[in-house]
Amino acid sequence: DPDRQWKFSPEDLVKRRQWPQYQKAFEAMLTRCSTGHAPWYVIPADRKWFRNLAVSEIVVTEMGRMGLRFPEPAFDASKIRVR
């Protein structure tokens, strides 16, 4: 596609030959860095709507597990009068 030629570099051909090594490195990184306490997620990005849905569902689920709540006020709110 002539409109996308600016994205291509001859160096891309060298990198393409290294794809199996990249895949091994990605797998090692995900295996070693993803933990039960701080999991990593692989999100497909070829469809933006699906990427956004997947990320949103993960965020909602993980925040729900955190048991977040509003802090107690440092004053008695019932005694506040606005005139």
Side-chain angles (χ1 to χ4, degrees):
D1 182 352
D3 291 334
R4 294 183 177 223
Q5 287 179 0
W6 64 271
K7 291 183 174 186
F8 178 76
S9 164
E11 184 67 22
D12 294 338
L13 299 174
V14 174
K15 291 178 182 177
R16 184 171 290 175
R17 279 185 252 135
Q18 297 171 336
W19 187 249
Q21 292 90 342
Y22 281 121
Q23 292 292 78
K24 286 180 183 176
F26 292 146
E27 183 179 345
M29 181 255 322
L30 290 172
T31 300
R32 294 177 186 162
C33 295
S34 183
T35 65
H37 176 72
W40 283 35
Y41 299 91
V42 178
I43 304 294
D46 53 343
R47 298 284 185 265
K48 290 182 181 180
W49 71 268
F50 184 77
R51 176 206 59 201
N52 295 346
L53 175 65
V55 170
S56 298
E57 287 183 352
I58 291 167
V59 169
V60 167
T61 299
E62 294 302 323
M63 288 185 74
R65 291 180 182 169
M66 295 172 78
L68 300 175
R69 60 182 179 79
F70 287 106
E72 294 295 323
F75 55 90
D76 184 355
S78 68
K79 295 182 179 180
I80 303 284
R81 300 287 181 251
V82 178
R83 299 177 197 252

